[in-house]
Amino acid sequence: MLANDSTTVAVEVPIWLAPADIAAIEAEHGIRLLPDRPDSDSYVAAITGHIDFLQVRNGAVHIPDYKPDARTNKPIAQLTIYALALTRLVPGLGLFDIKCAWFNENEYCEFFPRALLSRGRKRAA
């Protein structure tokens, strides 16, 4: 894809969110990425994964992910975490700039992660 597609800028992009990154994302968006942590000073959790493709099209960053089992393994949460990770790890990139999608041989579905995270937020007066 890198050689034949002018919109694909990276493939197999590793994602690593350390505990400080997770805490910052949770505080900023008022969400929980991980279940409650055990009462242990030695407990350290990280979120890892890899983005299949990273594309730039029409001024937006696209995260398309191949999901052969999308009907049984809903990919929205995983792709939203990838988008949040990119906003944390890439200076100047915001959720407004990102569109996520999953695809397989039978379907292509896309969404804006910012729409998911804005539903539960109360607006400041």
Side-chain angles (χ1 to χ4, degrees), residues 54-106:
L54 196 57
Q55 299 176 333
V56 177
R57 290 186 266 138
N58 303 319
V61 173
H62 291 252
I63 306 172
D65 202 37
Y66 178 67
K67 292 291 182 199
D69 59 348
R71 292 223 180 251
T72 57
N73 184 9
K74 305 295 184 194
I76 292 174
Q78 178 186 9
L79 288 167
T80 300
I81 289 172
Y82 288 167
L84 289 167
L86 285 179
T87 64
R88 178 78 180 152
L89 303 171
V90 178
L93 183 65
L95 278 181
F96 190 83
D97 305 314
I98 299 174
K99 183 186 269 188
C100 296
W102 72 89
F103 65 94
N104 59 32
E105 291 79 9
N106 301 311

Side-chain angles (χ1 to χ4, degrees), residues 14-50:
I15 294 296
W16 176 276
L17 289 173
D21 297 315
I22 294 167
I25 289 170
E26 290 177 337
E28 179 180 351
H29 296 283
I31 59 173
R32 298 287 300 179
L33 294 179
L34 295 174
D36 289 334
R37 291 128 178 111
D39 294 330
S40 170
D41 292 336
S42 63
Y43 180 77
V44 177
I47 295 176
T48 63
H50 72 273

